[in-house]
């Protein structure tokens, strides 16, 4: 080999192999053998709504029901996947319209006539939102079939709000990271955050268990009062569902005045309302951990402590304000005055039952009732309002700011800034709805502030207590209260879940500056 002779380099293996056929950009479409482009596969929503080719002419359509259910499942899953809050609003609206149609039919009224649309819509919304406000007397206007429709609506409304809260929690956990999933799982305290079916079975089983226990106590007592086995059974079941779901519907023209001296009925209803207002997550913790305080999670501790403070504080103030009022507590003995002070405090938060005329209370008691109705019960419960945990977080944030603490803490835990922002948003949304609704009702009814404000807060807090103004309102006023009942039932929950789902990552930060506040 000479000095200037070059050694030939080996050719790369990739050059010796045949080159693959170049891929064409098809824009996401599948290339066809003829060189054309096939259409994109339809989305879930398009598959759910698009018509399908049926069976051959003359052949039986054996899969008709299955196909309808499949389309419904695809549609619901698509809507829920896009926005759980939108799915919850849609579900409640559809259920309300269905019960409105049922209550409008002649068989639902005692007179056999068609009920006016605004009254049927109002009662259907009140039953599904488990409020208890009604423009007509439940015992006099509705037939047994109509009362049965209201009972089913209350049951679906109570189960729906618990199930919706669980489903929204699951939807939130799926959209967040692993750490957030663990936090959500700890908050639900079920240990099965990914098993929707098992979680909902626990919800339904717990609801029916409490209602059955209430019915076992109430049915014999109502049999004694009515003197009829059938009436006692129907009253016991109806009041059990109404109490646990915090609905406040009654089957008697005078409400509970006929049973005011029966402590079995009064205390059973009070216990049912209290248990339903605690919330499903709290009930699950109490069933699993009993009274071992150290094993409770933060949500349970905040709910129990705040609820106890509101109930006892409200009972004390009601007793002070109404102790000598002959039209309210003054007509009872000392023991019954204490009993009905506690009863009024529990029912003012979301129960809606009453043993005397609300208009006979002093202005101080009416204002206190307004505050209790605005707060409502626990989160993921059958109660309404802004929820006791919202009040607790706001109070803790104020205390932390007054002390100069940089973080909001409670029971050895740090509350995240996101939770504080959501609490502020829910409080502001609730106050805005109350303000707008009260102004509209004052303009419609031409009343002073006290009665319209009371009715608006009762509707928003899904309480059901009334000064009698609801029955006196024209259809426009009833529509205002209908919107408030719907918003108070699903508005704050869906708004809070939407805030939890809506997370935006900002890649820059503005300079800090503190405005003058206060």
């Amino acid at each position: 080999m000479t000095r200037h002779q070059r050694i030939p380099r080996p050719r790369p293996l990739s050059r010796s192999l045949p080159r693959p056929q170049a891929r064409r950009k098809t824009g996401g479409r599948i290339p066809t053998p003829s060189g054309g482009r096939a259409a994109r596969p339809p989305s879930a929503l398009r598959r759910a709504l698009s018509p399908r080719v049926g069976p051959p002419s003359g052949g039986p359509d054996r899969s008709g029901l299955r196909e309808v259910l499949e389309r419904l499942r695809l549609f619901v899953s698509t809507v829920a996947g896009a926005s759980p809050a939108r799915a919850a609003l849609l579900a409640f609206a559809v259920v309300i319209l269905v019960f409105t149609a049922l209550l409008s039919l002649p068989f639902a009224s005692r007179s056999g006539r068609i009920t006016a649309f605004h009254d049927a819509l109002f009662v259907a919304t009140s039953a599904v939102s488990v409020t208890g406000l009604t423009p007509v007397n439940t015992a006099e206007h509705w037939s047994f079939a109509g009362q049965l429709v209201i009972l089913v609506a209350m049951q679906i409304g109570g189960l729906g709000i618990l199930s919706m809260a669980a489903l929204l929690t699951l939807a939130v956990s799926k959209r967040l990271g692993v750490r957030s999933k663990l936090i959500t799982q700890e908050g639900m305290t079920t240990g099965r955050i990914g098993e929707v079916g098992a979680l909902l079975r626990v919800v339904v089983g717990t609801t029916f268990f409490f209602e059955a226990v209430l019915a076992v106590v109430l049915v014999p007592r109502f049999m004694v009062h009515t003197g009829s086995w059938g009436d006692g059974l129907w009253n016991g079941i109806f009041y059990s569902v109404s109490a646990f779901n915090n609905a406040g519907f009654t089957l008697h023209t005078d409400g509970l005045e006929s049973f005011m001296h029966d402590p079995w009925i009064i205390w059973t209803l009070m216990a049912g309302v209290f248990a339903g207002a605690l919330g499903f997550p709290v009930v699950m913790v109490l069933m699993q951990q009993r009274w071992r305080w150290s094993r409770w999670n933060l949500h349970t501790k905040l709910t129990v402590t705040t609820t106890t403070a509101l109930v006892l504080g409200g009972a004390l103030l009601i007793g002070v304000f109404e102790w000598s009022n002959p039209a309210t507590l003054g007509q009872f003995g000392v023991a019954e005055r204490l009993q009905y002070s506690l009863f009024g405090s529990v029912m003012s938060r979301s129960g809606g039952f009453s043993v005397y005329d609300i208009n006979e209370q002093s202005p101080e008691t009416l204002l206190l009732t307004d505050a209790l109705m605005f707060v409502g019960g626990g989160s993921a419960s059958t109660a309404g309002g802004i929820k006791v945990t919202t009040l607790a977080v706001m109070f803790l944030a104020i205390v932390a700011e007054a002390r100069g603490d940089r973080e909001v803490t409670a029971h050895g835990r740090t509350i995240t800034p996101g939770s504080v922002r959501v609490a502020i948003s829910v409080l502001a949304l609730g106050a805005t709805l109350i303000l707008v609704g009260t102004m509209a009702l004052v303009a419609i009814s031409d009343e002073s502030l006290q009665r319209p404000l009371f009715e608006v807060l009762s509707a928003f807090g899904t309480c059901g207590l009334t000064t009698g103004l609801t029955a006196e309102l024209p259809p426009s006023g009833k529509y205002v209260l209908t919107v408030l009942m719907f918003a108070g039932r699903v508005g704050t929950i869906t708004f809070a879940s939407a805030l939890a789902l809506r997370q935006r990552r900002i890649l820059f930060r503005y300079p800090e500056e503190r405005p003058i506040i206060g």
Side-chain angles (χ1 to χ4, degrees), residues 44-234:
L45 183 59
R46 191 179 303 170
R47 290 197 304 269
L49 298 180
S50 60
R52 299 185 180 182
V53 180
S57 177
D61 188 4
R62 299 179 180 178
S63 61
L65 179 60
R66 184 181 302 175
E67 186 173 333
V68 172
L69 293 177
E70 179 65 18
R71 291 187 184 184
L72 181 62
R73 186 190 67 80
L74 288 173
F75 177 75
V76 172
S77 62
T78 303
V79 175
S83 174
R86 187 190 308 166
L89 292 174
L90 177 63
F92 266 77
V94 170
V95 171
I96 287 174
L97 291 178
V98 169
F99 282 103
T100 300
L102 292 176
L103 292 176
S104 300
L105 298 177
F107 76 90
S109 63
R110 287 186 180 273
S111 62
R113 300 177 181 176
I114 297 177
T115 303
F117 174 77
H118 55 270
D119 288 334
L121 176 64
F122 190 99
V123 176
T125 306
S126 181
V128 174
S129 64
V130 289
T131 301
L133 283 176
T134 174
V136 296
N137 192 290
T138 304
E140 296 177 345
H141 181 82
W142 304 109
S143 63
F144 174 77
Q147 294 173 2
L148 182 61
V149 170
I150 294 175
L151 173 67
V152 175
M154 288 190 300
Q155 188 67 82
I156 292 178
L159 288 175
I161 197 67
L162 297 176
S163 304
M164 185 187 69
L167 290 174
L168 288 177
T169 304
L170 292 173
V172 172
S173 67
K174 291 177 183 178
R175 298 288 291 273
L176 302 179
V178 176
R179 182 178 301 177
S180 299
K181 290 183 181 181
L182 296 176
I183 294 174
T184 306
Q185 182 178 5
E186 182 182 357
M188 292 301 295
T189 66
T190 60
R192 294 175 290 186
I193 193 65
E195 301 177 7
V196 180
L199 182 62
L200 296 184
R201 282 195 297 269
V202 172
V203 173
V204 174
T206 303
T207 302
F208 286 151
F209 171 77
F210 277 99
E211 292 176 353
V213 171
L214 295 175
V216 168
V217 180
L218 291 177
V219 168
R221 298 305 301 173
F222 280 112
M223 286 182 181
V224 173
H225 284 282
T226 60
S228 171
W229 183 88
D231 292 340
L233 179 63
W234 169 241

Side-chain angles (χ1 to χ4, degrees), residues 20-36:
Q21 185 179 0
R23 296 181 179 178
R24 293 181 299 170
K25 295 183 178 180
T26 59
R29 295 182 173 89
I30 303 174
T32 59
S34 59

Side-chain angles (χ1 to χ4, degrees), residues 113-371:
R113 300 177 181 176
I114 297 177
T115 303
F117 174 77
H118 55 270
D119 288 334
L121 176 64
F122 190 99
V123 176
T125 306
S126 181
V128 174
S129 64
V130 289
T131 301
L133 283 176
T134 174
V136 296
N137 192 290
T138 304
E140 296 177 345
H141 181 82
W142 304 109
S143 63
F144 174 77
Q147 294 173 2
L148 182 61
V149 170
I150 294 175
L151 173 67
V152 175
M154 288 190 300
Q155 188 67 82
I156 292 178
L159 288 175
I161 197 67
L162 297 176
S163 304
M164 185 187 69
L167 290 174
L168 288 177
T169 304
L170 292 173
V172 172
S173 67
K174 291 177 183 178
R175 298 288 291 273
L176 302 179
V178 176
R179 182 178 301 177
S180 299
K181 290 183 181 181
L182 296 176
I183 294 174
T184 306
Q185 182 178 5
E186 182 182 357
M188 292 301 295
T189 66
T190 60
R192 294 175 290 186
I193 193 65
E195 301 177 7
V196 180
L199 182 62
L200 296 184
R201 282 195 297 269
V202 172
V203 173
V204 174
T206 303
T207 302
F208 286 151
F209 171 77
F210 277 99
E211 292 176 353
V213 171
L214 295 175
V216 168
V217 180
L218 291 177
V219 168
R221 298 305 301 173
F222 280 112
M223 286 182 181
V224 173
H225 284 282
T226 60
S228 171
W229 183 88
D231 292 340
L233 179 63
W234 169 241
N235 289 335
I237 294 176
F238 188 93
Y239 280 100
S240 299
V241 176
S242 182
F244 182 76
N245 292 296
N246 285 214
F249 279 92
T250 62
L251 292 177
H252 298 84
T253 55
D254 57 352
L256 296 179
E257 292 185 14
S258 301
F259 316 106
M260 66 170 57
H261 299 293
D262 191 336
W264 283 94
I265 293 180
I266 296 301
W267 281 93
T268 303
L269 293 179
M270 190 163 32
V273 170
F274 183 83
L278 280 178
F280 170 71
V282 176
V283 172
M284 288 298 300
V285 171
L286 295 180
M287 292 176 62
Q288 293 175 358
Q289 307 297 340
R290 306 297 179 185
W291 297 105
R292 290 171 287 190
W293 172 268
S294 60
R295 297 189 178 184
W296 291 4
N297 58 4
L298 179 60
H299 172 76
T300 302
K301 293 179 180 179
L302 290 178
T303 301
V304 172
T305 54
T306 308
T307 299
T308 304
L310 289 175
V311 169
L312 296 181
L316 177 62
L317 292 177
I318 290 176
V320 171
F321 295 150
E322 302 295 328
W323 191 265
S324 301
N325 188 346
T328 56
L329 296 183
Q331 60 181 310
F332 305 112
V334 175
E336 287 187 325
R337 290 184 189 184
L338 296 176
Q339 170 184 286
Y340 285 114
S341 296
L342 183 63
F343 184 83
S345 179
V346 172
M347 297 304 164
S348 296
R349 293 178 55 243
S350 189
F353 294 109
S354 179
V355 295
Y356 48 74
D357 188 4
I358 298 297
N359 291 302
E360 301 295 338
Q361 292 181 339
S362 63
E364 297 86 353
T365 306
L366 291 176
L367 185 60
L368 173 64
T369 306
D370 289 341

